[in-house]
Amino acid sequence: MIRFDAVSKNYPNGTTAVDDLSLELAEGGITVLVGPSGCGKTTTLRMVNRMVEPTAGTVSLRGRDIRDVAAPELRRGIGYVIQHAGLFPHRTVLDNIATVPLLLGWGRKKARARAAELLELVGLPAGMAKRYPYQLSGGQQQRVGVARALGADPPVLLMDEPFSAVDPIVRAELQTELIRLQKELRKTIVFVTHDIDEAIKLGDNIAVFRTGGRLAQFDSPERLLADPADDFVAGFVGQDRGIRRLSFVDAAELPLREGRVLSAATPVARARAVDEPWVLVVDGDRRPLGWAAVGGLPDEGTLADAVLAPLGHTFSLAGDSARAALDAALLSPSRLAVGVDAQGKVVGVADAYELSAATSGPEKDGPSTSAAPSGEVGKQGPPVHEAGEKR
Amino acid sequence: MRDGEPLVRWAWIGDHVDELAHYTGVHLRLGLLPVLLGLLISIPLGILCHRWRWAYPPTLTAANILYSIPSLALFMIFVRYTGLTERTVMIPLTLYTLSVLIPNVVDGLAAVPDPVRQAATAMGFSTVRRVVQVELPIAVPVVVAGVRVAAVSSISLVAVGQLIGQGGLGYYITRGLQLDFPTPIITATVLIMLLALVTDALLVLAQRLLTPWARGKGAAA
């Protein structure tokens, strides 16, 4: 789809923004370019729509050298979203979104009709159409920015740190929204960020850049966390990558035990017979009520008579990851995580040890020893093509 | 002033309403056409100065030097080519507006946020289209601020044109001085001030209507 062939960008003052980059980005997926500042990720992004011209190598889009197309024409076919949205302050929300259709000569009526559709698509009320950008919050502006980029339904979307200027709550919302949109639209998205968590959340593939414009690793997020190519990538991915990997394990795959789950009608004596410090008390529909400490149970009666410790949060086997399950275990008074099904009925419980044992693959102690020397990774076949041709 | 002569003889004003209206129209033309012409010159020059920053200091210096030449001297220079016509007054007044308007066009363009310019380029605007459809409209509040200053100063400067017989309402000022008769002097002065104030107010109104998007920023004030 988008292909970089031995691309470099050097500036007259001697700095190298991008150094001999070869990369192939899959069609219909989100590729995240991530790295510290000055690593050339934004330069790489801007070479796709000729905002920056490479000094060496070629960039091609669907097999065609992008230099064969006049820059303005090329750009009208590539959506672009930037950090501060860059909305046109003198145009209404609707006319901002209609920008590219108008440039393409669709005519005002058709362009505005398309813009109204997009406004809805990005989750903004139709009443916002006539407002000006200054009347919008940062998050709303960013949504309009995304809608504007989608104006002429381009197959490719370039996003340059689009969510980094908004507060963390709005950022998380916008990220979720992008994932939802992408499920529907299947665009080829190139997304630049310096935030590895954002990269892992959004990316189908992640290209990690190091200072000096060199590609350090190009892989799926799972592979990046499990097997960083070298110390730089391992350091960049961070100390808690072990825990973050759990995000990619489906909670439905976790082993759960049922023995400690008892209905409120169970006699106290039977709960004692389980011989565990805590039992989970559920109602007739198997909905969780709370934890009963076996040592603190009344002498007789049923579990309904027991004082229950609060449940903490549960995790759902329909949608949550093992990371949520582990978190639930750590926060639970019994140190046991409660797994529920889509209807909220208890399926079983597990402790942190059981959860982690079930999820850990062969994790290496340190950075992979088989990784290529720094800077060579990008040129080699396997990491590039493996990720690029997966689909 | 003669003894017993009042500052304003209202009857004189009543007798001269038609004539005053005529000269007011002439005065407006002499004052505002130069601002319009100045704007037509300043916009392209300002765009060039914004695009090639090295051209800005010499251009601004030239405009300021023009502004520093006394109007009398300029009239005397141009009177040789354009005679005792309105053009001889309007050419210097046009040149005077440049020292206000060019910097305002440049500042207005510089006030276009960089992300906006980048976004426009990335959306596929050609350079010319970007300047005309995005950058200039965003520069309007700053440009209008310059137009207001230029218009007010131009309207009051017109009176000096009376030195070559083309001063709009300035005619009454010299007449009053010659006749030692204050009424026309005061009437003309007040009318010139009113013209300036009304023009300024209309410009503010025009800008409010032109740039509803700027209201939140106080730029329309």
Side-chain angles (χ1 to χ4, degrees), chain B:
Chain B
M1 193 160 61
R2 287 166 298 205
D3 286 341
E5 174 69 23
L7 275 178
V8 179
R9 276 181 192 272
W10 298 100
W12 180 89
I13 297 176
D15 292 344
H16 290 79
V17 168
D18 289 347
E19 200 189 58
L20 281 167
H22 167 74
Y23 278 103
T24 301
V26 173
H27 197 102
L28 267 185
R29 181 168 71 236
L30 288 174
L32 294 184
L33 262 183
V35 178
L36 190 65
L37 292 171
L39 199 57
L40 290 178
I41 297 168
S42 298
I43 287 173
L45 281 180
I47 290 169
L48 294 179
C49 288
H50 175 71
R51 198 167 165 76
W52 292 286
R53 293 303 291 200
W54 57 263
Y56 185 35
T59 307
L60 188 60
T61 306
N64 284 337
I65 288 172
L66 284 174
Y67 191 66
S68 73
I69 304 174
S71 50
L72 183 57
L74 280 179
F75 293 153
M76 292 311 128
I77 292 169
F78 284 107
V79 87
R80 296 176 54 179
Y81 304 100
T82 49
L84 298 175
T85 62
E86 291 190 356
R87 268 185 291 170
T88 308
V89 178
M90 286 199 273
I91 292 168
L93 290 185
T94 302
L95 296 178
Y96 287 161
T97 63
L98 302 184
S99 74
V100 177
L101 294 178
I102 293 173
N104 275 65
V105 173
V106 174
D107 290 352
L109 292 174
V112 176
D114 207 43
V116 171
R117 194 172 283 120
Q118 277 179 28
T121 305
M123 299 286 121
F125 279 86
S126 63
T127 308
V128 173
R129 218 166 163 173
R130 191 188 71 208
V131 170
V132 173
Q133 295 189 352
V134 178
E135 300 189 26
L136 278 178
I138 294 173
V140 163
V142 182
V143 174
V144 171
V147 170
R148 289 172 59 191
V149 175
V152 169
S153 97
S154 183
I155 285 173
S156 71
L157 267 172
V158 166
V160 186
Q162 196 55 41
L163 287 163
I164 57 159
Q166 296 289 352
L169 291 164
Y171 162 74
Y172 292 107
I173 297 175
T174 47
R175 282 284 284 176
L177 286 171
Q178 287 159 5
L179 302 175
D180 196 14
F181 177 32
T183 299
I185 300 178
I186 289 170
T187 308
T189 306
V190 169
L191 275 176
I192 290 170
M193 289 166 71
L194 276 177
L195 280 185
L197 289 174
V198 169
T199 303
D200 193 48
L202 288 176
L203 282 170
V204 172
L205 191 70
Q207 196 217 306
R208 292 246 164 118
L209 295 175
L210 273 174
T211 60
W213 52 268
R215 233 166 261 172
K217 298 174 189 166

Side-chain angles (χ1 to χ4, degrees), chain A residues 284 289 372:
Chain A
L289 297 171

Side-chain angles (χ1 to χ4, degrees), chain A residues 259-262 271 274 276-281 290-294 297 303:
Chain A
R260 295 189 197 184
V261 182
L262 298 175
V274 174
E276 294 278 359
W278 294 87
V279 292
L280 180 69
V281 183
W291 291 100
V294 173
L297 288 176
L303 288 175

Side-chain angles (χ1 to χ4, degrees), chain A residues 179-195:
Chain A
I179 293 170
R180 177 188 69 81
L181 273 178
Q182 172 64 354
K183 275 201 183 121
E184 202 173 313
L185 303 174
R186 289 265 145 231
K187 300 291 180 192
T188 302
I189 298 178
V190 189
F191 190 107
V192 164
T193 180
H194 57 261
D195 176 358

